[in-house]
Amino acid sequence: MTGAVITTPGAAYPNVLRGDSDEGRSGNVTPPAPRVTRSRTGALVVATLVVLAGIAYFFFYDPVFLHSATWADPSDLWGIFRGAHYVGWGFLGGAYNQETMMVTFPGIAVVLAPVAMLSDTLHLSSLIGPFVYPHPTAALLLVPVTMVLAATVVVAADALAFELGVSPGRRLVVSVLVGAMAWAAAIIWGHPEDALVMTFACYAMVAVQRPQWRRAGWLFGIAIAFQPLIALAVPIFVASSPRGRRLIFAVRCSVLSAFLVGVAFAGNPSGAYRALVKQPTPPQLNHATPWVSLAPHVMMPGSGAIDAGVQRSALGIFSTVTADGHTLLRSEERRVGKECRSRW
């Protein structure tokens, strides 16, 4: 596959694409855009290697390198899979029962629900809470699907790099680095949603570059349904969206996650509040900071788990305010610059 060589004006001159430039009025000629290739061959090869490496690690790392008769245990993945069972049974709020250990929005549990129902139909076994055994047969379905979901971010990152005019060589480097991070997130920590959220976010940013604001809003909304932390980036794009469309853009970004979380709260208010607001987490696994000394301890005494919701909320508010302030300053600079050019 050689890939067609094309020109992409928006890739090299995004302001021209969005209509922020005055070249047409001033008589200046826009320089030609660089020639870049649309081929996704490199990204697809890397994504395939990520999937195969994840499957190989799960089934063969412990027997070959640790001389153990067990398969690998990305424990958080089994908790998410248990939440997917609840979704498949029609109880979305059950995704926030204590044994699932989920502390994020339920998008990944919804996506994995068909896999959970198929594994039940085939009478495959899976891990539940503290009950561990060597070969949970549901992994034969779950692990390949998980790795495919996580590997999609490699292709999405390549699409965004292409839209920005990045050279093929650097795009390949980006694919390798993104693939390494997606692999670790999915098969080591058991969180494919952390990669999947960036898949939709990257395609949303591609839509912004074109610009296709309606599509961008829905894509950001799907991303937030998997991992709400991506919402910290949304105010930047809200501020950059066309005037008169900012409210509907924000609605598109939030309506899906609001619906899913609302259904979960309606079915299991205490569990959803505990998971999404209090967010109990062991700080020894999540980079303890001085905030830990101020956080209330939760769950069983001696477990070390703390209430992390307040700290994450404070960090989110600070990051959002900082990003919004920077965006507003940039928008004002652009407006003043356009006025000066038009007067000149």
Side-chain angles (χ1 to χ4, degrees):
M1 180 175 180
T2 57
V5 177
I6 62 175
T7 58
T8 54
Y13 305 99
N15 289 337
V16 175
L17 183 64
R18 289 194 292 266
D20 293 339
S21 176
D22 292 334
E23 282 84 354
R25 291 192 297 270
S26 62
N28 296 332
V29 177
T30 301
R35 293 163 65 85
V36 294
T37 178
R38 187 189 290 273
S39 173
R40 296 281 185 269
T41 303
L44 290 173
V45 169
V46 173
T48 302
L49 292 176
V50 168
V51 174
L52 296 178
I55 295 173
Y57 176 87
F58 184 88
F59 292 107
F60 299 111
Y61 181 83
D62 283 10
V64 173
F65 294 98
L66 302 182
H67 305 289
S68 170
T70 62
W71 291 341
D73 180 24
S75 57
D76 287 355
L77 180 61
W78 290 112
I80 293 172
F81 194 54
R82 183 61 176 173
H85 278 85
Y86 282 112
V87 175
W89 294 330
F91 182 29
L92 183 59
Y96 295 115
N97 282 354
Q98 188 166 349
E99 74 269 19
T100 69
M101 298 181 290
M102 283 185 58
V103 292
T104 187
F105 284 1
I108 187 63
V110 173
V111 169
L112 291 178
V115 181
M117 294 301 95
L118 179 59
S119 71
D120 279 0
T121 302
L122 298 176
H123 304 288
L124 303 180
S125 59
S126 59
L127 304 186
I128 301 176
F131 301 100
V132 178
Y133 43 94
H135 304 119
T137 53
L140 298 171
L141 287 176
L142 178 60
V143 172
V145 171
T146 295
M147 294 310 304
V148 169
L149 292 175
T152 57
V153 70
V154 177
V155 180
D158 182 73
L160 179 58
F162 165 79
E163 196 70 22
L164 297 174
V166 178
S167 65
R170 292 185 177 182
R171 282 166 51 194
L172 181 59
V173 173
V174 169
S175 295
V176 172
L177 295 177
V178 171
M181 290 185 286
W183 181 87
I187 203 63
I188 299 296
W189 298 105
H191 287 282
E193 75 278 8
D194 289 346
L196 196 56
V197 63
M198 293 309 303
T199 297
F200 290 101
C202 285
Y203 279 120
M205 287 183 274
V206 168
V208 167
Q209 286 292 116
R210 288 184 177 178
Q212 297 170 338
W213 290 99
R214 178 181 299 179
R215 177 180 297 182
W218 289 119
L219 288 170
F220 273 125
I222 297 173
I224 294 171
F226 287 99
Q227 175 55 264
L229 291 177
I230 195 63
L232 296 175
V234 170
I236 299 175
F237 297 98
V238 172
S240 303
S241 61
R243 292 181 181 179
R245 301 182 186 177
R246 292 173 181 172
L247 179 60
I248 188 63
F249 179 79
V251 170
R252 291 188 182 113
C253 290
S254 58
V255 63
L256 179 59
S257 56
F259 172 76
L260 292 176
V261 173
V263 172
F265 263 96
N268 186 10
S270 61
Y273 178 83
R274 173 183 173 276
L276 297 178
V277 179
K278 297 183 73 66
Q279 294 193 348
T281 182
Q284 66 270 21
L285 297 179
N286 293 321
H287 309 291
T289 68
W291 288 106
V292 171
S293 60
L294 304 177
H297 287 258
V298 296
M299 297 178 65
M300 296 190 306
S303 67
I306 63 168
D307 182 343
V310 175
Q311 286 73 27
R312 292 179 179 175
S313 298
L315 178 61
I317 293 172
F318 173 78
S319 301
T320 303
V321 170
T322 303
D324 285 351
H326 177 72
T327 302
L328 292 175
L329 287 174
R330 295 288 296 177
S331 299
E332 183 65 17
E333 290 174 359
R334 187 165 56 246
R335 184 188 65 81
V336 172
K338 290 175 66 175
E339 290 181 356
C340 291
R341 287 195 300 270
S342 61
R343 291 177 183 176
W344 181 79

